[in-house]
C-alpha cells in the first residue's frame, strides 16, 4: 500500500480504500481513495505493508504511528496460508512538520525514474509556523532558565532511547509475525472448535496473544466492516515452517554444514519417499509481558511472566496434527533483585496471600486446556529450592484432580553435561504423553482432540524448559508419523529429518530467550545437535554474562516500551535512569574490583586446603560460568576440578567489553 504525507495527515491507500491519520491529534479516519484529491499537497513517500498501530512513548512526548516497512515470508501453513515476519518498521512522529526520510521502497506509479521521494513544499501557513517555532526555541535557549533547557534535553534523550528500544524490538529480535488469512493466535484445536464463526479474522483471535491490540485500538473501536482490511493481528513469538522427507537411505554426512541453520537442500526431489510439513508456532502472552528481572511470577490478575504457548504442527496428505505445550513462570509472588550476577530468588508474599492468585491462574488454564500436567524443572536444593517448595505447597492447597504435578531436578539428573538424561523424564511420563493425545483434523473435520496440556517451567522458563519441551514434542511427533504410516513402527526419525527438527526447536528457544532475557538460549547446542560440548558451555558463559549486562543497563527501557505497547502505565521514573546508569556503571566497576580481590583471597585460602603438601600454588584465575561452583552468598566453593597442565591446549584471553558484546 502507498503512504502519502500531506500537511495535516499521513494517508495510507490501497485500491479504493484509504486510512487517514491526523498529524495534529493522531485520530484515524476511513475515507474513500478519491479524497486524496482533497489533501493539501500529498506526496507519496513510498510503499508499506500494513499498520501495526500507534504508541506514545511518554506522556511528555508525541504519538508515533508504526507501520510495517518490510516483511519476510516464513512459509505457508496448510490451506496455502502465508505467514510473514516483520523485519523492518517505519515510525512516523505525528507532530513533525518536516518530511521524514523513512527509507521506504518507492512505488513505480509516483516515483518512476526517481530515487528518493521529493520534499513537501511548505504552504505559507507552514512557513509562518516554522518561523514562529524557531523563534520560540531560540528565545528559550537564550533565556537564563537553564532548568527548561535541561528538561528539554532530557526529554529528547528519553525519546531517543525509547525509540531505539522500539526499533530494536521489531527489527533486531525478528520476533513479530502475522498472517492476513490465518489466525496465528489460536491453535488448530481452538480454530476447529470455532470453524463456523464467520466474523473477520481479528475478531476471532485469542486475546492473550493479540500483541498490537492496544496500539490498534482506535481502529477496532470504529466498528464498521470497512475497518477489517486495516487490522492485522500480530503475535510476538516464533514461527518456522519446514518440509521434511522421510528417507532412511540418505547420507547423514552433513556435519560440515553449520549447526545454526538447516542445509541448503533440506528436502528431496524423490517422490518415492514420504514427505511431511512441520511447523513450530510459539505465541507469547501480552499479559505480564516483559524482561527477565522486571517480570517474575504471578500478578494480581493470575497472569504469569514469560507465558508462551508453543504448537507443533504436522501436515501430511490433508491430515493436520497439532500438539500444544505451554511454559510460564512459577505462579507465586517472587522476584530477583537484578543487580547481582546471579541474584538469589525471594518470595514477596506469604503462602496464604498467594492462594487466591495461584487459583486464578490455574482456573483459567483449566478452563482453556481442561487438564494440566506441570513439569517443574527447578533445582530441589540450593537457591532455587524456595521457589520449588512454594510451588508444590500451592499445588497441594489447590487440590484439583485435573492438575498433575511432576518434579524433575534437571541439573541433578543431567549433571556433567549429560543432557541426554532428559529421556529419563520422557520415559517416566510416556503413558501420560500417550493419554493426552493430540489434535487431529482432516477435510471431514475433527478426528480427535488433545486432552490436556504440559505446562513446563524452570526458573526463567527458557533453557531447561526448551530442552524438555523439545523432547516431549519429539515423542509425540514420532507417534503421529507412525500413526499416519509415514514412519515404520520400530524406526527412529531419519538423521536428516531429526537434525532439521532439532534446529527448529533450538531456534525457537533462542527466539523466546532473546525476547525475555535479551540473549540466545543456554544449552542450545544440545537442542540443536543432541550433544553437549565444551564450546556450548563457553558460549553459555558469554550469553549468561550478556543477560547480566542487559539486565543492569537496558531492561528498564525495554520494559517501558513493552508496557506502553500494552497500554500499561510506566511506574518507573525513566528520567532518573539516566542518573542511575552512571551510578551503576561506577558501582559495577567497584564491585568488580572487590569481587576480584575476594576471589584472589579465596584462591589463596582454598589452595591451602585443596593442594597436597608437596605442591605449590603459583596463581589462579576466576572464570565467569553459567553455573558457578563458587557460591558468593555463603562464601563456599561447592565443587572443583583438577586439570593437568599437560591436558591444557589453549587459554583465550579477551577484554570484558568484547565478551559482553559478543
Amino acid at each position: 500500500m502507498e503512504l502519502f504525507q500531506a500537511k495535516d495527515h499521513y494517508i495510507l491507500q490501497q485500491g479504493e480504500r484509504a486510512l487517514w491519520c491526523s498529524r495534529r491529534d493522531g485520530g484515524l479516519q476511513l475515507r474513500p481513495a478519491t479524497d486524496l484529491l482533497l489533501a493539501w499537497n500529498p506526496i507519496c513517500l513510498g510503499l508499506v505493508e500494513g499498520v501495526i498501530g500507534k504508541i506514545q512513548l511518554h506522556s511528555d512526548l508525541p504519538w508515533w504511528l508504526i507501520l510495517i516497512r518490510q516483511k519476510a515470508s516464513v512459509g505457508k501453513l496448510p490451506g496455502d496460508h502465508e505467514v510473514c515476519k516483520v523485519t523492518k518498521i517505519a515510525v512516523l512522529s505525528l507532530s513533525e512538520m518536516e518530511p521524514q526520510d523513512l527509507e521506504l521502497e518507492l512505488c513505480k506509479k509516483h516515483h518512476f525514474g526517481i530515487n528518493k521521494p521529493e520534499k513537501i513544499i511548505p504552504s505559507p501557513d507552514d512557513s509562518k509556523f516554522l518561523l514562529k517555532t524557531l523563534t520560540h526555541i531560540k528565545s528559550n535557549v537564550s533565556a537564563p532558565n537553564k532548568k527548561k533547557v535541561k528538561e528539554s534535553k532530557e526529554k529528547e534523550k528519553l525519546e531517543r532511547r525509547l525509540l531505539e528500544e522500539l526499533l530494536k524490538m521489531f527489527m533486531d529480535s525478528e520476533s513479530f509475525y502475522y498472517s492476513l488469512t490465518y489466525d496465528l493466535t489460536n491453535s488448530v484445536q481452538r480454530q476447529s472448535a470455532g470453524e463456523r464463526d464467520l466474523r473477520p479474522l481479528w475478531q476471532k483471535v485469542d486475546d492473550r496473544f493479540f500483541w498490537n491490540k492496544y496500539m490498534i485500538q482506535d481502529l477496532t473501536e470504529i466498528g464498521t466492516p470497512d475497518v477489517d482490511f486495516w487490522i492485522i493481528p500480530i503475535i510476538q513469538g516464533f514461527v518456522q515452517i519446514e518440509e521434511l522427507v522421510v528417507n532412511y537411505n540418505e547420507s547423514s554426512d552433513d556435519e560440515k554444514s553449520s549447526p545454526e541453520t538447516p542445509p541448503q537442500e533440506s528436502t528431496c526431489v524423490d517422490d518415492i519417499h514420504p514427505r511431511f510439513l512441520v511447523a513450530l508456532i510459539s505465541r507469547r502472552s501480552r499479559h505480564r509481558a516483559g524482561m527477565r528481572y522486571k517480570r517474575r511470577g504471578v500478578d494480581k490478575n493470575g497472569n504469569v511472566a514469560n507465558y508462551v504457548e508453543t504448537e507443533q504442527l504436522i501436515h501430511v496428505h490433508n491430515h493436520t496434527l497439532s500438539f500444544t505445550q505451554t511454559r510460564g513462570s512459577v505462579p507465586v509472588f517472587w522476584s530477583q533483585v537484578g543487580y547481582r550476577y546471579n541474584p538469589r530468588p525471594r518470595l514477596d508474599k506469604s503462602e496464604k496471600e498467594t492462594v487466591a492468585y495461584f487459583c486464578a491462574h490455574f482456573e483459567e488454564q483449566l478452563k482453556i486446556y481442561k487438564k494440566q500436567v506441570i513439569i517443574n524443572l527447578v533445582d530441589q536444593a540450593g537457591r532455587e529450592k524456595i521457589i520449588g517448595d512454594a510451588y508444590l505447597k500451592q499445588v497441594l492447597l489447590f487440590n484439583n484432580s485435573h492438575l498433575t504435578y511432576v518434579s524433575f531436578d534437571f541439573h541433578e539428573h543431567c549433571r556433567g553435561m549429560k543432557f541426554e538424561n532428559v529421556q529419563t523424564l520422557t520415559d517416566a511420563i510416556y503413558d501420560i504423553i500417550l493419554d493426552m493425545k493430540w489434535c487431529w483434523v482432516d477435510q471431514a473435520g475433527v478426528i480427535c482432540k488433545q486432552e490436556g496440556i504440559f505446562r513446563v517451567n524452570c526458573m526463567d522458563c527458557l533453557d531447561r524448559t526448551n530442552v524438555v519441551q523439545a523432547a516431549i514434542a519429539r515423542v509425540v511427533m514420532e507417534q503421529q508419523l507412525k500413526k499416519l504410516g509415514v514412519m515404520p513402527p520400530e524406526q527412529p526419525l531419519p538423521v536428516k529429518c531429526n537434525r532439521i527438527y532439532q534446529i527448529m526447536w533450538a531456534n525457537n528457544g533462542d527466539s523466546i530467550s532473546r525476547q525475555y532475557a535479551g540473549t540466545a538460549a543456554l544449552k542450545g547446542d544440545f537442542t540443536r545437535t543432541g550433544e553437549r560440548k565444551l564450546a556450548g558451555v563457553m558460549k553459555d558463559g558469554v550469553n549468561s554474562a550478556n543477560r547480566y549486562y542487559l539486565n543492569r543497563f537496558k531492561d528498564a527501557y525495554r520494559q517501558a516500551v513493552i508496557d506502553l505497547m500494552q497500554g500499561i502505565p510506566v511506574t518507573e521514573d525513566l528520567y532518573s535512569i539516566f542518573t542511575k546508569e552512571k551510578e551503576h556503571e561506577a558501582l559495577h566497576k567497584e564491585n568488580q574490583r572487590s569481587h576480584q580481590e575476594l576471589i584472589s583471597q579465596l584462591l589463596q585460602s582454598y589452595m591451602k586446603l585443596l593442594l597436597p603438601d608437596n605442591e605449590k600454588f603459583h596463581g589462579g584465575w576466576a572464570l565467569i560460568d553459567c553455573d558457578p561452583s563458587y557460591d558468593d552468598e555463603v562464601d563456599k566453593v561447592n565443587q572443583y576440578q583438577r586439570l593437568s597442565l599437560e591436558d591444557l591446549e589453549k587459554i583465550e584471553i579477551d577484554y570484558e567489553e568484547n565478551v559482553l558484546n559478543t
Side-chain angles (χ1 to χ4, degrees):
M1 61 184 66
E2 298 159 320
L3 172 64
F4 293 88
Q5 180 172 298
K7 177 188 172 185
D8 297 324
H9 293 86
Y10 285 111
I11 303 168
L12 289 159
Q13 189 164 308
Q14 183 163 333
E16 298 178 357
R17 300 180 177 92
L19 177 65
W20 289 47
C21 181
S22 171
R23 298 177 65 189
R24 304 289 184 186
D25 59 14
L28 297 173
Q29 284 183 300
L30 300 179
R31 297 175 66 165
T34 51
D35 277 8
L36 187 65
L37 299 171
L38 305 177
W40 180 274
N41 192 25
I43 299 296
C44 181
L45 299 179
L47 300 174
V48 295
E49 300 292 341
V51 181
I52 293 175
K54 296 189 310 178
I55 190 171
Q56 188 179 24
L57 295 173
H58 197 275
S59 57
D60 296 339
L61 301 172
W63 283 88
W64 293 80
L65 179 66
I66 309 173
L67 305 173
I68 302 171
R69 174 157 65 101
Q70 197 173 93
K71 67 179 182 182
S73 178
V74 176
K76 290 187 176 182
L77 291 171
D80 207 34
H81 299 289
E82 185 179 33
V83 178
C84 296
K85 174 168 60 179
V86 178
T87 55
K88 291 182 181 178
I89 61 170
V91 184
L92 290 75
S93 172
L94 297 180
S95 67
E96 284 289 343
M97 297 308 299
E98 287 294 313
Q100 301 177 49
D101 185 6
L102 302 173
E103 299 181 358
L104 301 180
E105 180 186 344
L106 303 182
C107 74
K108 295 177 182 177
K109 184 164 64 175
H110 298 101
H111 298 282
F112 182 74
I114 301 175
N115 293 325
K116 283 191 176 181
E118 56 190 296
K119 291 192 174 183
I120 293 177
I121 302 169
S123 69
D125 290 340
D126 283 344
S127 299
K128 289 178 184 177
F129 175 79
L130 290 172
L131 185 62
K132 187 177 179 181
T133 305
L134 287 170
T135 306
H136 181 67
I137 291 170
K138 285 179 181 177
S139 65
N140 277 344
V141 172
S142 59
N145 192 343
K146 293 181 180 179
K147 185 178 179 181
K148 285 187 177 180
V149 175
K150 184 181 178 182
E151 287 176 356
S152 178
K153 286 183 178 179
E154 285 186 345
K155 195 182 293 185
E156 288 177 11
K157 186 178 179 182
L158 177 61
E159 185 174 37
R160 188 170 63 251
R161 280 290 182 90
L162 293 174
L163 199 56
E164 283 174 3
E165 283 303 317
L166 178 67
L167 292 168
K168 285 177 183 176
M169 269 193 71
F170 277 94
M171 299 201 288
D172 288 358
S173 65
E174 294 191 343
S175 60
F176 291 91
Y177 298 82
Y178 69 94
S179 173
L180 298 177
T181 59
Y182 187 86
D183 184 1
L184 287 174
T185 70
N186 274 307
S187 64
V188 169
Q189 184 155 314
R190 290 197 296 273
Q191 288 186 49
S192 62
E195 61 185 353
R196 294 182 181 179
D197 190 341
L198 301 178
R199 291 178 299 166
L201 180 66
W202 70 270
Q203 291 183 9
K204 296 187 288 187
V205 296
D206 189 320
D207 182 74
R208 297 175 296 167
F209 309 119
F210 188 178
W211 253 74
N212 58 328
K213 179 182 179 179
Y214 175 78
M215 292 188 286
I216 211 159
Q217 190 173 346
D218 285 4
L219 279 178
T220 59
E221 290 177 350
I222 289 176
T224 62
D226 293 341
V227 79
D228 300 340
F229 173 81
W230 300 101
I231 300 174
I232 302 174
I234 291 174
I235 67 164
Q236 187 187 35
F238 174 77
V239 182
Q240 187 169 343
I241 304 167
E242 299 286 343
E243 186 181 53
L244 304 184
V245 179
V246 181
N247 182 1
Y248 289 95
N249 299 319
E250 66 188 351
S251 170
S252 61
D253 188 24
D254 287 326
E255 284 76 11
K256 294 180 181 179
S257 57
S258 168
E260 301 294 325
T261 55
Q264 290 291 324
E265 297 179 5
S266 61
T267 58
C268 179
V269 296
D270 188 356
D271 291 333
I272 297 173
H273 302 292
R275 60 183 67 232
F276 64 97
L277 180 141
V278 59
L280 209 53
I281 303 171
S282 282
R283 30 188 93 96
R284 174 183 295 280
S285 174
R286 65 186 184 88
H287 302 303
R288 196 155 175 74
M291 303 307 292
R292 187 188 185 203
Y293 288 122
K294 299 292 182 182
R295 292 291 181 268
R296 292 290 207 191
V298 72
D299 67 12
K300 292 185 177 181
N301 294 313
N303 300 310
V304 295
N306 199 24
Y307 183 90
V308 182
E309 181 186 79
T310 300
E311 180 182 20
Q312 181 176 278
L313 190 150
I314 306 292
H315 183 73
V316 187
H317 304 311
N318 297 320
H319 290 263
T320 302
L321 297 87
S322 157
F323 183 75
T324 306
Q325 302 179 76
T326 61
R327 67 178 77 190
S329 192
V330 174
V332 299
F333 290 95
W334 66 282
S335 61
Q336 285 176 284
V337 180
Y339 298 116
R340 298 174 57 87
Y341 176 66
N342 189 9
R344 181 174 288 276
R346 68 185 186 193
L347 294 174
D348 298 325
K349 286 187 185 294
S350 69
E351 182 181 296
K352 187 177 180 180
E353 291 174 302
T354 302
V355 169
Y357 308 106
F358 183 93
C359 291
H361 173 71
F362 274 107
E363 281 168 3
E364 186 198 27
Q365 295 299 297
L366 293 173
K367 182 180 177 182
I368 297 169
Y369 301 109
K370 309 308 178 190
K371 296 178 183 177
Q372 291 264 306
V373 179
I374 297 169
I375 308 290
N376 183 17
L377 305 174
V378 303
D379 295 350
Q380 294 173 21
R383 63 176 63 203
E384 295 183 4
K385 186 177 188 297
I386 186 174
I387 304 300
D389 288 350
Y391 198 178
L392 178 57
K393 286 177 184 176
Q394 290 295 329
V395 170
L396 294 173
L397 288 171
F398 189 56
N399 191 25
N400 190 301
S401 60
H402 296 297
L403 201 65
T404 303
Y405 181 86
V406 177
S407 181
F408 181 80
D409 190 330
F410 186 98
H411 287 145
E412 179 63 30
H413 284 88
C414 302
R415 184 184 296 276
M417 302 195 298
K418 295 181 179 178
F419 285 15
E420 63 274 12
N421 290 349
V422 168
Q423 188 173 342
T424 306
L425 171 63
T426 54
D427 288 347
I429 62 171
Y430 185 75
D431 289 341
I432 298 175
I433 296 173
L434 295 186
D435 289 344
M436 192 174 287
K437 303 186 179 70
W438 51 79
C439 177
W440 184 351
V441 298
D442 64 5
Q443 291 174 316
V446 179
I447 296 173
C448 74
K449 293 181 180 180
Q450 182 175 335
E451 298 175 1
I453 202 164
F454 285 104
R455 185 199 190 279
V456 187
N457 74 273
C458 49
M459 291 296 283
D460 296 330
C461 304
L462 295 176
D463 317 313
R464 289 171 276 180
T465 295
N466 202 66
V467 170
V468 169
Q469 283 194 335
I472 293 171
R474 181 197 169 107
V475 172
V476 173
M477 186 177 74
E478 289 187 347
Q479 289 297 320
Q480 291 171 333
L481 294 176
K482 289 171 182 176
K483 205 84 171 176
L484 291 167
V486 176
M487 274 176 60
E490 302 302 323
Q491 287 276 14
L493 200 64
V495 173
K496 203 168 185 179
C497 287
N498 184 53
R499 183 167 175 271
I500 296 170
Y501 175 78
Q502 288 175 322
I503 289 167
M504 290 177 72
W505 270 97
N507 291 342
N508 177 67
D510 284 349
S511 186
I512 293 171
S513 180
R514 287 190 188 98
Q515 293 156 26
Y516 188 53
T519 69
L522 310 182
K523 305 170 181 65
D525 58 323
F526 177 79
T527 314
R528 288 181 190 281
T529 65
E531 297 178 23
R532 187 67 165 145
K533 296 181 179 178
L534 180 60
V537 176
M538 297 303 291
K539 185 177 180 181
D540 283 357
V542 172
N543 282 333
S544 188
N546 265 339
R547 287 180 180 180
Y548 171 67
Y549 172 79
L550 290 165
N551 164 247
R552 285 183 66 99
F553 303 115
K554 303 294 182 185
D555 282 2
Y557 301 112
R558 178 64 62 90
Q559 185 64 55
V561 170
I562 292 171
D563 287 344
L564 291 164
M565 287 172 70
Q566 305 307 326
I568 300 169
V570 176
T571 55
E572 192 163 1
D573 181 5
L574 296 176
Y575 286 116
S576 69
I577 295 175
F578 302 141
T579 308
K580 286 180 182 177
E581 263 190 318
K582 293 177 182 177
E583 293 174 358
H584 288 163
E585 285 174 8
L587 184 63
H588 178 53
K589 288 178 181 177
E590 180 61 33
N591 285 344
Q592 270 193 315
R593 283 193 292 270
S594 301
H595 192 68
Q596 286 167 355
E597 290 173 8
L598 177 61
I599 292 294
S600 178
Q601 293 170 10
L602 282 168
L603 282 169
Q604 296 286 349
S605 301
Y606 278 100
M607 284 307 110
K608 294 176 184 177
L609 301 173
L610 301 177
L611 287 177
D613 294 334
N614 61 342
E615 293 185 14
K616 184 180 179 182
F617 174 61
H618 293 281
W621 299 272
L623 301 177
I624 294 177
D625 192 346
C626 57
D627 185 17
S629 54
Y630 167 67
D631 188 342
D632 57 1
E633 290 285 346
V634 292
D635 288 350
K636 179 182 176 183
V637 172
N638 297 324
Q639 59 182 349
Y640 75 97
Q641 185 177 1
R642 291 175 61 89
L643 295 173
S644 171
L645 284 177
E646 296 173 356
D647 298 330
L648 205 61
E649 296 181 0
K650 182 171 63 172
I651 297 177
E652 290 188 4
I653 301 174
D654 204 345
Y655 295 105
E656 182 185 11
E657 289 80 6
N658 292 348
V659 173
L660 292 177
N661 291 310
T662 299

